[in-house]
Amino acid sequence: ERRAQNILLLAASWFFYAMWDWRFLGLMLLTTGVDFAVGRYLAMEEDDRKRKLAFGLSLGLNLAVLGFFKYFDFFIGSAADLLRAAGFDASEPTLRILLPVGISFYTFHGISYTFDVYRRDIQPAKDLLDFAVFVAFFPQLVAGPIGRAHIQLPQFENDRSPLRADQVRSGLALILLGLFKKVAIADALAPFVDQTFTNAASSSWLVLLAGAYAFALQIYGDFAGYSDVARGSSRLLGIELPLNFEQPYLSRNITVFWRTWHISLSNWLRDYLYIPLGGNRGGRSTTYRNLMLTMVLGGLWHGAAWTFVAWGTLHGLYLCAHRAFTERPGGAGTAHNKVGPFTLADVLPAIGTFQLVVFAWIFFRAASFTQAFEVITGILTFQGG
């Protein structure tokens, strides 16, 4: 019964993906097959050098696929702009790469799997079918939550109990809540946000401020709404996906924000980028470097534009500043960074944290640095309009 369920889920997931563009299904099949084979090899091989080579093959393939399709245009365009700025005649190639939907998510599934098997944190999947469903599972394929093998693979490998009434009720409630966030909040605010940022040079500072706050609500409605729909849909299929948002705009500081916003991405960046870079095991400067690299790359993961890099850089600076503040003599210490119930004492810190988050969102939403600075300048100079 479990195998039949997985065959149905895999067929549905591949059909779902192929309905966008069937030609890109081959990319998913390639990385799935390679990651599965490398996982099996890593479990059997004892020679460290051979294991590193095999892991490097899997990691290199996933990053090459992600890098080519998501960042080729970005880096070629940036290089051409740089050469033109230096006075050279640089024409860009006419090749324009179409971005396969969900590529950032399913490549991250494969990377985390082979990473965990390489570190011997988990046993490799024994059945290609189970692994393929984990990679392609359609509720989370387009926008997350990002799957983790140690959480989800056992759910595909073991028999699932028949659905209970409470699972159906809570699953449907999550779908309805997600649709409300997406349609009634995000989609309702989107036209105002678009108009505000497009007309930033001529809009009044109050309209610009309202547009920045509206985008903060829009992007929460989009991301958290989709996560709720994904979790609810998955629950109806007997699979539990991890919580991805936990009231992030009520965070008392920026560290707590990143423990409650897009939690599956935050955890992925921590476990597969920040910690392998050295985490906080070196000196203070090394820790700050690792934080900055992690957040800058996290910004670039969201989109191939320098405005996303600026967004990630700002959050890296926020996190470094907060870490320095809490570690100083007489500072609040790490206990202040734990996620807990919202209290009266958190009101003012949460309001302050929210302003920092909204300021960074301006760069995330803006089509260019020019547009971002038009919004910021308009607000800070109390622009009329």
Side-chain angles (χ1 to χ4, degrees):
E1 183 183 356
R2 176 190 62 81
R3 191 167 180 80
Q5 290 171 343
N6 285 351
I7 290 172
L8 179 61
L9 282 178
L10 184 59
S13 298
W14 283 352
F15 178 76
F16 174 81
Y17 196 77
M19 285 299 290
W20 176 73
D21 192 327
W22 64 269
R23 293 169 299 178
F24 287 116
L25 187 57
L27 278 177
M28 185 188 292
L29 299 181
L30 172 65
T31 56
T32 298
V34 170
D35 291 340
F36 176 77
V38 167
R40 299 290 297 165
Y41 178 81
L42 288 172
M44 295 183 295
E45 183 58 59
E46 295 298 330
D47 187 292
D48 284 343
R49 189 179 64 84
K50 291 180 180 178
R51 294 184 83 248
K52 282 180 181 177
L53 283 173
F55 173 63
L57 169 69
S58 168
L59 181 63
L61 175 65
N62 279 291
L63 291 179
V65 168
L66 181 62
F68 179 73
F69 284 94
K70 190 165 183 174
Y71 301 110
F72 179 85
D73 288 346
F74 168 64
F75 286 118
I76 289 293
S78 297
D81 289 342
L82 190 63
L83 288 171
R84 281 193 289 267
F88 296 99
D89 181 20
S91 59
E92 297 176 43
T94 54
L95 181 64
R96 282 287 173 266
I97 306 299
L98 186 65
L99 179 64
V101 68
I103 191 168
S104 297
F105 292 91
Y106 74 73
T107 52
F108 269 29
H109 290 176
I111 290 171
S112 65
Y113 167 76
T114 51
F115 213 122
D116 287 347
V117 174
Y118 173 72
R119 294 190 297 198
R120 301 196 188 277
D121 290 338
I122 61 170
Q123 290 297 312
K126 295 182 176 64
D127 192 327
L128 179 57
L129 172 64
D130 298 337
F131 180 69
V133 181
F134 159 67
V135 172
F137 190 48
F138 72 87
Q140 67 189 119
L141 181 59
V142 177
I146 297 171
R148 297 290 290 272
H150 71 277
I151 296 172
Q152 280 174 250
L153 255 181
Q155 298 186 66
F156 294 116
E157 291 173 332
N158 299 312
D159 291 337
R160 296 185 279 280
S161 304
L163 275 182
R164 304 185 308 272
D166 65 301
Q167 287 177 297
V168 175
R169 280 196 300 270
S170 60
L172 291 174
L174 272 173
I175 293 171
L176 288 172
L177 177 63
L179 285 173
F180 179 81
K181 289 176 182 176
K182 170 66 179 146
V183 178
I185 297 176
D187 290 354
L189 289 170
F192 171 65
V193 173
D194 291 344
Q195 185 180 16
T196 301
F197 276 78
T198 301
N199 303 317
S202 58
S203 298
S204 75
W205 71 275
L206 280 172
V207 171
L208 294 173
L209 195 61
Y213 287 130
F215 178 66
L217 297 178
Q218 179 196 344
I219 196 166
Y220 172 77
D222 269 334
F223 281 12
Y226 186 93
S227 289
D228 287 344
V229 172
R231 290 179 64 225
S233 304
S234 183
R235 185 169 294 172
L236 295 180
L237 297 169
I239 303 295
E240 281 298 318
L241 298 183
L243 181 68
N244 213 22
F245 291 84
E246 194 175 357
Q247 299 179 317
Y249 288 157
L250 296 180
S251 302
R252 70 175 73 90
N253 60 59
I254 201 69
T255 302
V256 174
F257 173 79
W258 275 105
R259 290 178 180 174
T260 54
W261 174 274
H262 212 327
I263 300 168
S264 63
L265 174 64
S266 300
N267 290 345
W268 198 101
L269 291 173
R270 179 197 66 200
D271 293 343
Y272 302 110
L273 193 55
Y274 177 69
I275 292 175
L277 282 170
N280 57 3
R281 296 191 296 274
R284 182 171 294 182
S285 60
T286 304
T287 300
Y288 293 159
R289 180 206 66 189
N290 295 339
L291 269 176
M292 288 301 302
L293 277 172
T294 300
M295 296 312 299
V296 168
L297 291 172
L300 195 58
W301 178 85
H302 281 85
W306 288 108
T307 47
F308 290 111
V309 174
W311 173 80
T313 301
L314 274 173
H315 274 281
L317 292 171
Y318 292 164
L319 288 167
C320 288
H322 180 250
R323 190 177 187 91
F325 179 76
T326 54
E327 288 180 346
R328 79 194 196 288
T334 55
H336 192 57
N337 299 334
K338 286 188 168 61
V339 179
F342 190 76
T343 65
L344 193 60
D346 294 328
V347 173
L348 289 179
I351 291 173
T353 301
F354 185 58
Q355 309 317 305
L356 295 175
V357 170
V358 173
F359 179 75
W361 280 141
I362 293 172
F363 289 94
F364 192 96
R365 172 58 182 80
S368 64
F369 281 118
T370 300
Q371 192 177 82
F373 288 123
E374 284 175 351
V375 174
I376 294 165
T377 304
I379 293 171
L380 295 180
T381 59
F382 301 102
Q383 177 174 290

